[in-house]
Amino acid sequence: MPPVTDQIVGARTRAAPAGVTRDAPAVLIPTPPRERELRLDLFRGLALWLIFIDHLPQNLLTWLTLRNYGFSDATEIFIFISGYTAALVYGRAMRERGFVVAAARILRRVWQIYVAHIFLFTIFLAEISYVASSFENPLYTEEMGILDFLKQPDVTIVQALLLKFRPVNMDVLPLYVALMLFFPPVLLVMQRKADLGLALSVGFYALTRWFELALPAYPNGVWFFNPFAWQLLFVFGAWCALGGAKRISRILSLPATLWICVTYLLFAFYTTLTWHVPQLNHLMPDIAEQWMYPIDKTNLDVLRIIHFLALAALAVRFLPRNWPGLASPWLKPLILCGQSSLQIFCIGVFLAFAGQFILAECSGGATIHLIISICGILIMSAAAWVFSWYKRVAGKGGSRAKPADGDSDLAGGGA
């Protein structure tokens, strides 16, 4: 039987009382199904690949990642898309079922990501400890940041549960947990006044930068990704999803906007080029260097935000929603990775350490670097295909209710 929204329902054929005009037939207009925004999945999958490559030692593919050509990198892409899709999924739930239900769903997702982080932390420690002991190389424990765990495992475990102790390459999931934990009240405000929510986020970002607000880490220092600063990009993504993107679309289509973005990206490219070619540094004015540096990633430097916004503006301009390339089989692996981002991110962390271990133990030069990078991407893509296949099979079998859009992935599920 077709869904009720696809049926045309007529009035009952019964006689109307005398003097009363019969009501016109009630017609329910078919509601087209919501199409998944494949551009979000595409760029989320691309961010996963770039994060994996950046976590490996320097190799040929590393020179294809964003961080070598500008101020921002894959992290900004991931955080923005996460805020965007979280607002879509949970904003709809808040409108249809109220604040309490939507908040409960968000907190459930926070718990899922927290558990995934603890599981990833445990397996990651076991992987590093096994390699370090088997090959009698304690440098692995020091390089990957688990030396404190081996010295004081009881204290370190507690600190890890509090998200204060994190080995190398494991800073992303705690950031998502922190951002999503406080997302219910943020979303409630943005449902009523999206501009007010964004303004409050900007103000909090400014206070964070001014007063150097941060969360402490163990055994010393602060969180590598300061959630007080990175919340701005997350909230901006939510603002775009709740109508902001449509409102600024006219500005983004202006020729002046295009040239401003291109000019800034060229400036960022030249600046990063001076890091690799010191001979070019003499062309950079001293006053510009004093103003720019340090370009802080921990507290999401303004230059990084502007660089990401310029990239996003060009992406929206040249890759429309109905871009035919989204149906290309060549981009399918990226899209599938983006649709199972939590699982693929965890796999990428394991593969990154395995790649570092192989590169440390084997001397194969640029060739082995390239092979490891490509193999890692192929493994991630194959895993994403398996996850996608399982979702299709489970959905056809009817063994469980179909989840809401995005509930099964990292960013769409609210992280």
Side-chain angles (χ1 to χ4, degrees):
M1 179 179 179
V4 67
T5 53
D6 293 339
Q7 300 178 46
I8 300 179
V9 183
R12 295 183 182 274
T13 55
R14 61 175 181 269
V20 178
T21 304
R22 178 182 297 178
D23 293 337
V27 178
L28 297 182
I29 300 176
T31 303
R34 284 186 294 266
E35 295 183 2
R36 186 167 184 129
E37 176 55 274
L38 293 181
R39 289 182 301 178
L40 296 177
D41 295 327
L42 174 68
F43 286 112
R44 189 163 48 201
L46 177 62
L48 287 167
W49 286 15
L50 296 180
I51 289 173
F52 164 71
I53 294 172
D54 283 336
H55 285 170
L56 292 171
Q58 201 82 358
N59 63 78
L60 293 177
L61 285 184
T62 305
W63 290 102
L64 300 179
T65 62
L66 291 177
R67 69 179 183 180
N68 294 297
Y69 302 97
F71 302 137
S72 65
D73 57 25
T75 312
E76 280 83 358
I77 300 175
F78 219 57
I79 296 296
F80 172 82
I81 294 179
S82 297
Y84 192 105
T85 51
L88 284 180
V89 174
Y90 298 115
R92 184 168 66 246
M94 190 170 290
R95 289 192 301 270
E96 296 175 353
R97 307 188 64 181
F99 172 78
V100 175
V101 173
R105 289 185 57 191
I106 293 174
L107 294 179
R108 182 189 66 179
R109 189 59 180 176
V110 170
W111 173 251
Q112 291 174 345
I113 299 171
Y114 176 80
V115 171
H117 170 71
I118 298 302
F119 177 79
L120 179 62
F121 170 80
T122 305
I123 302 300
F124 193 59
L125 286 181
E127 182 184 21
I128 299 172
S129 300
Y130 174 78
V131 169
S133 60
S134 298
F135 289 85
E136 299 181 352
N137 189 348
L139 291 179
Y140 286 120
T141 60
E142 183 176 356
E143 183 179 352
M144 302 308 295
I146 69 167
L147 193 59
D148 292 289
F149 170 78
L150 299 178
K151 292 179 178 178
Q152 292 181 301
D154 52 342
V155 176
T156 309
I157 283 292
V158 174
Q159 297 299 326
L161 294 175
L162 296 175
L163 302 181
K164 296 174 68 175
F165 174 76
R166 299 177 304 279
V168 175
N169 300 339
M170 289 196 58
D171 298 287
V172 175
L173 292 186
L175 174 63
Y176 281 118
V177 170
L179 294 176
M180 286 304 302
L181 189 61
F182 296 98
F183 191 55
V186 172
L187 184 58
L188 181 64
V189 172
M190 299 195 75
Q191 288 275 22
R192 290 166 168 75
K193 296 284 186 179
D195 292 344
L196 175 61
L198 181 60
L200 292 174
S201 176
V202 172
F204 189 50
Y205 171 82
L207 291 175
T208 298
R209 301 279 301 185
W210 183 262
F211 293 103
E212 298 182 351
L213 305 177
L215 292 177
Y218 178 85
N220 51 55
V222 297
W223 282 34
F224 182 75
F225 293 115
N226 186 355
F228 300 149
W230 282 84
Q231 55 80 26
L232 175 59
L233 201 56
F234 188 86
V235 173
F236 178 70
W239 179 82
C240 290
L242 297 176
K246 184 177 297 185
R247 289 159 53 189
I248 64 174
S249 59
R250 182 175 300 179
I251 298 176
L252 295 179
S253 63
L254 294 175
T257 304
L258 172 63
W259 289 113
I260 291 174
C261 292
V262 170
T263 301
Y264 185 81
L265 292 176
L266 290 175
F267 162 73
F269 171 69
Y270 177 79
T271 302
T272 54
L273 197 61
T274 62
W275 304 343
H276 307 292
V277 186
Q279 292 79 0
L280 299 176
N281 200 45
H282 69 278
L283 298 177
M284 182 71 65
D286 293 339
I287 188 173
E289 293 185 350
Q290 296 173 5
W291 169 69
M292 287 191 305
Y293 298 129
I295 303 176
D296 188 10
K297 183 173 184 177
T298 293
N299 294 302
L300 189 59
D301 195 280
V302 174
L303 293 178
R304 295 180 66 96
I305 298 176
I306 299 175
H307 186 262
F308 166 77
L309 294 179
L311 288 174
L314 294 185
V316 171
R317 188 184 187 97
F318 294 108
L319 271 76
R321 185 188 183 99
N322 58 350
W323 179 51
L326 294 173
S328 170
W330 295 102
L331 296 181
K332 190 67 173 179
L334 279 171
I335 293 174
L336 291 179
C337 286
Q339 292 174 350
S340 299
S341 50
L342 177 57
Q343 301 94 318
I344 300 303
F345 173 81
C346 294
I347 292 174
V349 172
F350 294 134
L351 292 176
F353 174 72
Q356 292 184 45
F357 160 70
I358 295 174
L359 291 173
E361 297 295 330
C362 304
S363 56
T367 302
I368 191 68
H369 278 69
L370 186 61
I371 292 175
I372 289 175
S373 300
I374 294 177
C375 287
I377 290 175
L378 291 176
I379 293 173
M380 294 165 67
S381 302
W385 182 87
V386 172
F387 295 138
S388 176
W389 169 82
Y390 175 77
K391 291 175 187 176
R392 292 197 306 270
V393 172
K396 291 179 181 179
S399 58
R400 59 180 175 86
K402 183 180 179 181
D405 293 343
D407 275 359
S408 58
D409 57 56
L410 177 61

